Amino acid sequence: MPAKPKPETTPQESAPTADEAPTADEKRSHADEKGSPAEGTATARTATARTAARTGGSAPAEAVAPLIRGIAVLRELTEANGTLSLSGLERATGLARSTVDRITATLSRMGYVRFDGRDVHLSPRLMELGNAYLSALRLPALLSPHADALADELDESVSLAVADQDGIRFIHQATRRRAMSLSFRIGDLLPAERTAPGPLFATEWTTTDWQRWRDRRAADPRDLSFTAVPPRTHRPDARDDDTFVSRTEEASANGWSLDDQLIEPGLVAISVPVRSPGADGRIASVASVVSHTSRHTAHNLRTTLLPKLRSTVEAMERELRDAPPPEPGPPPSDLALWTGASKQRLGREFIESLARGLTVLTAFGEGRPELTLTEVARATGLARATARRALITYEHLGLVAPASRAFTLTPRVLSLGFPPLSRTSLPEIAQPHLADLTSRIHESTSLAVLSDSGEEIQYTARATTARVMSVNITVGTRLPAYATAPGRVLLADTRDEGALASVRSHGYALVDEELEEGLRSIAVPIRDRSGRVVAALNTALHASRRTPGECVTDLLPELTTTATRIQTDFHTATRFTHVPTS
C-alpha cells in the first residue's frame, strides 16, 4: 500500500435530524413511501438485495422503498444503453411486473422516460438530474473551455474526470472526430486501476478506501460491473494489485500518471491533477489527453504532450482560484403541487413518493452546491419529513453525501441516464415529438437544417402518415433553401431581406406552391440555448387539404407547441454536452 495514506475522518451523524414532529399529512404520505403490500414480494426483495450489494448494506428503516426501486429501474435502463422492454426491466430489476409498470408510468409522467410499444426509452429531460450535479460542481463550466482549447491545439481528445469512490467518472469530453474515435461518455464509470486519472486520485485514498478497492476487485475480478470498459480477459492477482500501488506511488512523486493500453489495446492517455484553491490543495478534477498508439506512444505522450497539458492545468487552477462565487439561480418551484396534481390525475399508477424523491435532486444546482434539510424542503415545496426520508435514501444509495449540517450531490448522480443520453443528437431528440405531432395533425412532419453552403436545406428527421397522396420527402433529401418554408425560417435568422424579415417577425414561414405546384408547407424555428435558430420544424401537404389560412389557424399552434417541447429537451441535453444538430 502506498506510504502515508490519508487519515480517516469521523463524519457527523449522516441522517438529517428531525427537529420537529411530522404533521398529520406527513404521516399519511409515509404509507405510500413504504410501498404497497404487492410490492413487498420476493421479486421486490431481490431488487432490494441487489441495491444493498451496490451500496454496501441494507436500506435504513426510514428509506423510501419506491424511490430505491425507481432508482434501480433508471440504472438498469442506463446500463442497457437507454432502452429496455418492460419484461426486460422486470427481469433485470427482479421487481414484479405491476411495480415496473407503475414506476415507468410515473417516470413517463415526469418526462424522464417514454414508451415505444412495450419498450421503455430514457428521455433527455432525465439529464436535468445530472445537470443539477454538474451545475453544483461548477468544474465543467469553469474548466471545459480550457480543455476544449487544448484539444484544438493538440488535435487530440481531452477529458476531465472526478473521483467516485474507487472509480472515476468523466464530467467533460472534448473529442476529435476521426475514423478511430477515442472518447468516453460523460458520466461513464471506470475502475481506477485501469485509467490514467485513477492513480492520481488514489494518492488521496484512506486505508478504508484501499480496502474497499480490494474488496471490489475480489468481488468483480473481470470488471463486469463497469459496463463502459471491456471486461478483463484474465482474473487479477496480487501482482496486479502491486502494479496499481506502484503506479500510485509514482503518480504521487511525479505529479502525473499514464495509461498505457490498460483499458484496451491501442489506447494511451496521460493525466495531470487539477487542484482546488483551498489550503489542503486536494484534487478537484483530473485532466487527461487521450490518444492512440498509431499517433503517440506512451513515451511520446510524456515528452511531447505533458508540458502543454501541465500549462493548461495551471490555467485551470488559476480559473478555480480567481472565479467569483456564482449567483444562485432560481430553485425549482411548486414541485410538490405538481406531484400532488399528477397523483390526482393518474391515481394508483402514479407513485407520488418516487416523483417527490426525484425532485429533491433538482433542488441542487449552480450557487446551491450544499443544502440543508430546511433548504431542500423550501426549494421543492416538500414537507421536511418527506425531504428528510428522501435524503436518507439517497445517502444510502450513494447519491448524496453529508457536508457538516448540509448535503451535496455525488458524481453517482450521473449514473442516472446521463451516459447514453450524452451521446444523443437533435434528430434523435426530435423524432418522438415528430411522431406525436403527426398523430395529432394527420400530416407528415420533418426536421431540417441548413447545409454548410447556406443555399440548401437537408432533412434530418421525419414522421410520415399513411395517405394515398403524400409528400415524398426522405431523411437526407436536399432542397433549395429559399424556396422552402424550413429554409426561409433558417435563413431569416442570419439574413436581412424583405421576405425574410416578415418570417422573422411572425415566427413562422408559409410557402404556397412555390417549390412545386400543389405543395403547401409551413415551418417554425428550433433554437439553441443562445437563441440561435439551428433547425426548422415543418409540415408539407397538398394544397387541396388546407387553405393557407387554415394552415395558420390549425397547424401553426401544433407546430409551435411541438417546437417548444423539442427545444426544452434540446436545451436540457446541451447544458453540459455537445449535441449534433444533424
Side-chain angles (χ1 to χ4, degrees):
M1 182 177 297
K4 299 181 180 178
K6 298 293 179 181
E8 301 287 354
T9 58
T10 305
Q12 297 188 12
E13 176 63 34
S14 58
T17 57
D19 48 13
E20 58 184 46
T23 66
D25 287 341
E26 291 167 359
K27 290 178 179 178
R28 283 193 294 270
S29 70
H30 189 46
D32 181 44
E33 296 180 357
K34 286 182 177 179
S36 66
E39 293 170 330
T41 61
T43 51
R45 288 192 294 271
T46 300
T48 303
R50 290 182 182 177
T51 302
R54 290 186 179 189
T55 56
S58 57
E62 292 185 271
V64 184
L67 183 54
I68 293 177
R69 296 171 187 137
I71 294 297
V73 166
L74 289 175
R75 283 179 169 164
E76 293 296 345
L77 281 166
T78 302
E79 292 181 5
N81 208 33
T83 302
L84 267 178
S85 66
L86 287 167
S87 57
L89 276 171
E90 181 183 359
R91 290 190 298 270
T93 60
L95 295 170
R97 176 58 181 269
S98 60
T99 303
V100 170
D101 289 344
R102 293 183 67 213
I103 288 172
T104 52
T106 302
L107 295 174
S108 175
R109 173 67 175 167
M110 299 184 76
Y112 288 170
V113 304
R114 63 179 177 85
F115 293 101
D116 183 5
R118 293 185 176 274
D119 289 338
V120 183
H121 302 264
L122 295 179
S123 295
R125 187 172 178 180
L126 179 61
M127 296 177 76
E128 70 181 10
L129 304 182
N131 286 344
Y133 164 72
L134 294 172
S135 297
L137 186 67
R138 286 196 82 198
L139 294 180
L142 295 176
L143 306 186
S144 60
H146 299 281
D148 295 345
L150 181 62
D152 290 339
E153 179 185 358
L154 301 180
D155 196 25
E156 300 289 352
S157 295
V158 176
S159 66
L160 297 170
V162 294
D164 186 351
Q165 293 192 351
D166 60 347
I168 71 162
R169 283 193 195 271
F170 293 103
I171 58 171
H172 181 72
Q173 292 281 348
T175 60
R176 316 313 291 167
R177 290 198 173 188
R178 297 194 181 96
M180 182 62 71
S181 178
L182 298 173
S183 68
F184 291 94
R185 304 171 303 182
I186 296 176
D188 270 338
L189 178 67
L190 277 66
E193 68 276 6
R194 293 179 64 182
T195 68
L200 293 165
F201 287 122
T203 63
E204 298 183 344
W205 283 2
T206 65
T207 302
T208 300
D209 294 329
W210 280 101
Q211 187 57 52
R212 181 191 298 116
W213 172 71
R214 288 192 165 87
D215 292 342
R216 186 261 294 166
R217 296 261 288 172
D220 183 18
R222 295 191 58 207
D223 295 336
L224 297 178
S225 60
F226 295 89
T227 56
V229 299
R232 289 179 180 271
T233 58
H234 67 282
R235 294 177 64 91
D237 55 26
R239 289 173 298 179
D240 294 296
D241 288 1
D242 292 342
T243 297
F244 183 58
V245 170
S246 298
R247 290 179 63 216
T248 302
E249 292 170 343
E250 291 171 0
S252 180
N254 297 333
W256 51 268
S257 178
L258 271 176
D259 166 9
D260 189 358
Q261 307 180 75
L262 294 172
I263 292 178
E264 63 179 56
L267 189 150
V268 290
I270 190 164
S271 299
V272 173
V274 181
R275 296 191 177 275
S276 300
D280 59 358
R282 292 183 64 83
I283 298 174
S285 179
V286 168
S288 305
V289 177
V290 185
S291 189
H292 192 271
T293 50
S294 60
R295 294 176 58 84
H296 292 281
T297 64
H299 174 76
N300 187 239
L301 287 179
R302 294 196 304 270
T303 57
T304 304
L305 304 187
L306 179 57
K308 295 179 179 179
L309 175 57
R310 277 178 158 162
S311 177
T312 296
V313 166
E314 289 173 2
M316 290 178 174
E317 291 176 340
R318 286 195 299 271
E319 188 79 44
L320 293 181
R321 184 178 65 247
D322 299 338
E327 290 293 330
S333 60
D334 297 329
L335 294 176
L337 293 177
W338 181 87
T339 57
S342 297
K343 182 67 173 178
Q344 288 292 323
R345 178 175 177 178
L346 298 183
R348 188 180 181 279
E349 293 307 304
F350 185 80
I351 307 176
E352 190 172 8
S353 58
L354 168 58
R356 289 187 169 188
L358 289 172
T359 65
V360 166
L361 298 178
T362 66
F364 297 82
E366 188 172 9
R368 304 190 305 277
E370 297 183 1
L371 294 176
T372 64
L373 169 59
T374 298
E375 290 169 335
V376 170
R378 184 184 303 123
T380 58
L382 297 175
R384 283 173 54 89
T386 300
R388 176 176 179 270
R389 288 192 290 271
L391 289 168
I392 289 173
T393 306
Y394 284 137
E395 186 177 353
H396 166 66
L397 296 174
L399 296 168
V400 303
S404 184
R405 300 288 292 179
F407 296 86
T408 63
L409 299 182
T410 73
R412 197 163 296 181
V413 174
L414 295 174
S415 70
L416 305 180
F418 214 89
L421 290 172
S422 69
R423 287 290 179 84
T424 193
S425 67
L426 181 55
E428 290 171 329
I429 290 173
Q431 190 62 53
H433 295 289
L434 295 182
D436 181 62
L437 174 61
T438 292
S439 70
R440 296 199 310 271
I441 66 175
H442 307 292
E443 301 287 356
S444 297
T445 57
S446 303
L447 189 77
V449 298
L450 207 57
S451 66
D452 292 338
S453 69
E455 301 302 321
E456 293 180 313
I457 62 165
Q458 180 175 6
Y459 289 93
T460 58
R462 185 158 171 79
T464 60
T465 187
R467 285 184 181 273
V468 174
M469 183 172 60
S470 62
V471 179
N472 185 22
I473 295 174
T474 59
V475 172
T477 297
R478 289 175 177 257
L479 294 174
Y482 199 84
T484 64
R488 291 184 187 179
V489 164
L490 290 159
L491 292 173
D493 195 51
T494 58
R495 298 187 187 179
D496 254 345
E497 301 174 26
L500 296 180
S502 174
V503 171
R504 189 162 51 248
S505 63
H506 288 96
Y508 72 92
L510 176 64
V511 172
D512 188 15
E513 302 188 74
E514 294 183 36
L515 179 66
E516 184 176 315
E517 188 174 342
L519 181 64
R520 190 166 286 154
S521 177
I522 185 169
V524 296
I526 303 293
R527 300 179 184 274
D528 65 12
R529 292 177 63 85
S530 69
R532 183 173 63 94
V533 177
V534 295
L537 169 67
N538 88 295
T539 183
L541 61 150
H542 192 270
S544 64
R545 289 209 286 271
R546 281 185 174 91
T547 67
E550 289 171 337
C551 287
V552 174
T553 57
D554 299 346
L555 300 181
L556 180 59
E558 296 285 359
L559 284 168
T560 302
T561 298
T562 300
T564 300
R565 292 171 179 169
I566 294 172
Q567 281 182 175
T568 298
D569 283 352
F570 184 51
H571 294 175
T572 300
T574 55
R575 186 164 185 186
F576 293 104
T577 65
H578 171 68
V579 175
T581 56
S582 59

